[in-house]
Each structure stands twice: as C-alpha cells, then as structure tokens.
Amino acid sequence: MAGVCDRAPDFLSPSGNQVLGPALGSVASLNCTAWVVSGPHCPLPSVQWLKDGLPLNNGSHYDLHEASWVKANLSEVLVSSVLGINLTSAEDYGAFTCSVQNVSSFSFTLWRAGPVSHLAAVLASLLVLLVLLLAALFYVKCRLNVLLWYQDTYGEVEVNDGKLYDAYVSYSDNPEDRKFVNFILQPQLARRRGYKLFLDDRDLLPRAEPSADLLVNLSRCRRLIVVLSDAFLGRAWCSHSFREGLCRLLELTRRPIFITFEGQRREPAHPALHLLRQHRHLVTLLRWKPGSVTPSSDFWKELQLALPRKVQYRAMEGDPQTRLQDDKDPMLVVRGRLPEGGTLDPELDPDPEGDLGVRGPVFGKPSAPPCASGVSLGEGRGSEVDVSDLGSRNYSARTDFYCLVSKDDM
C-alpha cells in the first residue's frame, strides 16, 4: 500500500508554475487544489506553503483557508488551500511554493509591478495625430491640384457635341464689369488656358424667361458663367424672380457658374446670393478676392474644375509665319516670295486671325519693291533682304521683338 500512497497528487490549480505581478497595496490570492490518493493506510493529505524555499510563518500579512472533500468510494481526497497575501511592502513579494505531502509542488512567483508606462501609447497617439495633421494639410494645400490632375488625365472630353464655345459669359454692361471680363477673365481663360468664350453684356433674363437669342447662344456653349457684380444683382429679376430664373438656367445649362465678389456693397443677405448658397449642390459658386488675380490662385483652379476639360493638341512645328514665309525672321521675307498671284493655304495657318484675335489676313501678297536699289543690312547681302512689305505684317501678333540693325552696321 505504500506504493499507492506515494502516487503524485493530481493538481487542478495551478496547472503549472505561474508568474504574477500584482500591484503594491493589493491582495493576491493563491489557490492550490489537488486530488490526493486516500486509503486506510495512507496519511492524511496536507498542504504546505513555502516562501523563497522557507516555511511560511503565520504573519498578519497572510490569510490561509483550507478545505477537503472525500470521494464516495474513499479512494481520493480533494484538498484545497487558498493563501491570501496583503502586499503592503516590497518584502511581501517573492516565490511562493505549494507542496502537497512533500511529494509534488508548484510555485507562484510574485513580482512587484512598476508604475504603468503610457509612453508607448502617448507616442502612438502623437504619431497618429501627426499623420492626420499632415493629411489635412495635404488636403488643404494640394486638393485642387490633385483634382486638376485627375481632370486633365481621366476627365470627360466634351468634343463632337455640336458646341462652338466652352463657356457663355454673362455680365452687366458697366465699366467695372467690362474691365473684369475683358482684362482679367477673358485673358486668363482664353489666352492662357485656351478656352473659347462667348461674351454677352445684355440682360440674361429680362423677365425671368429666356429669350430666343439666349436659347440659341446657350445651346452653342458648354457652360454658363454669370458675373454677379453689384450692377448685376441690381437688376429687377435678381431681386424679385431670381428663383424662377435660376430654375430656367438649370434647365438650359449644366451646373452654371456664378462669380461673386468679396466686399460687395450690397447686403450679404441678398435674395439671389442666399438662394445660391442653399443650392450649392446644383451650381458652382466662386468668390473673387483681391489675391485671386494671381494665375495660381485657388479661384482659377476651382473655375477650371467647373469648366470642360481642355485637350492639348500638338502644335505645328516651328512658327507658322517663319515656316510659311521660308525665312529666319518672321518680320522679314528672306530668300523667298509668294508666287505671282498666289496665296497661302488657309488650312496651314491654325489661327489666321492672329494670336490676339486681330481681324484680317496675317499674310498678304507683298507689294512691288520700291525703285531704290535695295537696303543693305550687311556687306554683300543687300539683294537677299526685302523689307518692302513690312507695313503689311501683323506685328501685334508677336510678343517678342527683333533688332533689325546688326553690330556690323553700327
């Protein structure tokens, strides 16, 4: 029977050596429970607690509760010992061992947990906040540039739609609006960005109903731009029937563009402006500020986003004036004339009216040479230069200048 009684206990708790880190000032409960073989010749099971390899004394810091249960067939006994430890000082921590009948044991190692370190959490929070701030800054600074890049790369190309103009510009016939449209809006859109504009200073909706001319002109334009100046807002239909007029415009054109001005003399609560702010999802409302005159300002970027995508075609190689005249200087005819009675093919000149819209042909048949023997601009080269048609050249189409006197002639 001695061999049966020496069988190792079957521990239920703990299942193995444990390492715990309770905080100072707390109470740690160590549970030691095991099945022990029982019999008439076996000694009564006992649980012994050790601290750092020494028997545990009965100090006030410990609270011990023991209990036992016997199986119905009296073959095994369930013993349980719960040790409570009041951790009031650093000396209360250590290695506690639970031993049953000095046959088998498991240990509980208590170590003092230091103050909770939030450094990692704080650094992670700061990193996330920094990423969010950078993302917000990138959105504010580069949002329009990214949208413009996307429009120029993947935007819808509105071609072959029967439209002759990119935008219909409606403004009031007064000096301030004419200056804004002709000296700021049109040069920026037409000359720098290549948009074709239809300018109209007549009343857009005289009686809140579109006129026949307006219907025809809007049908030839892809967008509508309305310059909402003080003079424009002073019209009768803007104050009394702007809602009906806006509904008509929404039926005639795709997402009309309204340009307002910062510091307008009229009340900010003007009925037309108030209505446009309520329907921002149907219209494009832009505000002109003193700094908007810069070509890289947000005003022009937002306006370009509201206008159709422009497709850049490859320009003709060389200057058409130079290439067609077969000379090195577009202001002179060198080593070449048009054949007698001949004219230039208008299809070869992409803009026969000139870069600045000057009416009339740019090139014409040169007039007869004067009776003088010729003008010499260099030794031995007098017969190669013909300056007789300088008066018929379109100098306004050029933005650069040429010097007709070489250093040798001085």
Side-chain angles (χ1 to χ4, degrees):
M1 297 298 295
V4 176
C5 296
D6 293 339
R7 195 179 68 180
D10 183 13
F11 277 88
L12 300 181
S13 175
S15 58
N17 297 328
Q18 295 185 0
V19 179
L20 306 176
L24 184 65
S26 62
V27 177
S29 296
L30 308 182
N31 183 11
C32 183
T33 304
W35 284 105
V36 182
V37 176
S38 176
H41 302 285
C42 296
L44 293 176
S46 62
V47 178
Q48 184 179 9
W49 287 93
L50 305 176
K51 179 185 178 183
D52 298 330
L54 299 178
L56 193 67
N57 55 18
N58 295 326
S60 61
H61 298 294
Y62 307 110
D63 186 12
L64 185 62
H65 297 277
E66 293 184 343
S68 61
W69 297 268
V70 182
K71 269 189 175 182
N73 55 7
L74 304 177
S75 62
E76 288 182 321
V77 177
L78 179 66
V79 294
S80 176
S81 177
V82 178
L83 177 64
I85 306 173
N86 295 320
L87 302 173
T88 58
S89 63
E91 289 76 10
D92 296 332
Y93 292 88
F96 293 83
T97 303
C98 169
S99 177
V100 177
Q101 292 184 338
N102 297 324
V103 175
S104 180
S105 64
F106 282 100
S107 64
F108 298 86
T109 301
L110 303 183
W111 60 277
R112 180 179 178 181
V116 180
S117 177
H118 301 285
L119 180 61
V122 172
L123 292 178
S125 302
L126 291 178
L127 182 59
V128 172
L129 182 60
L130 180 61
V131 171
L132 293 178
L133 290 177
L134 291 178
L137 182 62
F138 177 81
Y139 178 81
V140 172
K141 294 295 183 181
C142 304
R143 177 182 65 91
L144 295 178
N145 293 331
V146 173
L147 292 177
L148 283 176
W149 171 84
Y150 183 84
Q151 183 191 53
D152 294 339
T153 307
Y154 304 104
E156 178 186 0
V157 180
E158 301 180 30
V159 295
N160 300 326
D161 54 359
K163 307 292 186 180
L164 300 179
Y165 301 93
D166 293 308
Y168 179 101
V169 181
S170 176
Y171 62 99
S172 181
D173 185 16
N174 68 84
E176 293 183 358
D177 287 13
R178 285 196 299 268
K179 290 179 182 179
F180 175 77
V181 172
N182 291 284
F183 293 99
I184 297 180
L185 190 64
Q186 185 184 20
Q188 183 69 21
L189 295 181
R191 299 176 189 174
R192 288 181 58 92
R193 307 184 186 272
Y195 289 102
K196 291 185 178 181
L197 305 179
F198 182 88
L199 308 181
D200 191 359
D201 59 359
R202 293 173 295 178
D203 200 343
L204 188 62
L205 295 174
R207 288 175 293 275
E209 291 292 338
S211 61
D213 291 342
L214 178 63
L215 294 176
V216 173
N217 294 331
L218 282 179
S219 65
R220 300 189 300 172
C221 303
R222 297 185 177 92
R223 297 291 188 275
L224 169 64
I225 301 177
V226 181
V227 181
L228 282 179
S229 62
D230 288 326
F232 198 100
L233 293 174
R235 295 174 177 177
W237 71 275
C238 286
S239 301
H240 303 94
S241 56
F242 188 82
R243 180 182 296 273
E244 292 78 6
L246 180 61
C247 294
R248 301 294 187 275
L249 294 180
L250 292 175
E251 296 173 357
L252 297 175
T253 185
R254 171 182 174 182
R255 196 175 181 88
I257 305 168
F258 294 89
I259 300 177
T260 61
F261 296 85
E262 188 179 64
Q264 286 180 312
R265 292 187 298 271
R266 295 188 175 274
E267 291 293 333
H270 190 278
L273 298 178
H274 183 68
L275 185 63
L276 289 176
R277 295 189 189 98
Q278 291 180 340
H279 295 80
R280 283 182 176 270
H281 60 287
L282 299 176
V283 302
T284 300
L285 187 60
L286 304 179
R287 177 176 290 273
W288 175 267
K289 302 177 182 179
S292 300
V293 69
T294 307
S296 60
S297 65
D298 292 346
F299 174 85
W300 298 112
K301 295 177 183 179
E302 293 177 354
L303 181 57
Q304 187 175 352
L305 287 173
L307 291 173
R309 171 190 173 187
K310 292 302 296 181
V311 180
Q312 300 294 334
Y313 298 98
R314 182 176 298 179
M316 299 176 60
E317 295 182 1
D319 192 330
Q321 289 184 334
T322 304
R323 188 168 63 85
L324 296 179
Q325 292 286 350
D326 192 23
D327 60 1
K328 300 300 182 183
D329 191 331
M331 299 179 66
L332 300 175
V333 178
V334 181
R335 298 189 305 274
R337 283 178 179 273
L338 285 176
E340 189 69 24
T343 58
L344 292 174
D345 187 356
E347 295 182 357
L348 298 178
D349 187 5
D351 192 4
E353 295 181 357
D355 298 339
L356 300 180
V358 180
R359 302 293 179 182
V362 177
F363 305 104
K365 180 179 179 181
S367 58
C371 299
S373 59
V375 179
S376 177
L377 297 183
E379 184 178 355
R381 294 181 294 171
S383 60
E384 296 183 1
V385 180
D386 184 3
V387 296
S388 58
D389 65 336
L390 291 180
S392 62
R393 289 302 186 96
N394 183 14
Y395 299 103
S396 60
R398 305 297 299 181
T399 58
D400 47 5
F401 302 94
Y402 297 84
C403 181
L404 301 181
V405 181
S406 63
K407 185 180 295 185
D408 296 335
D409 298 328
M410 300 180 62

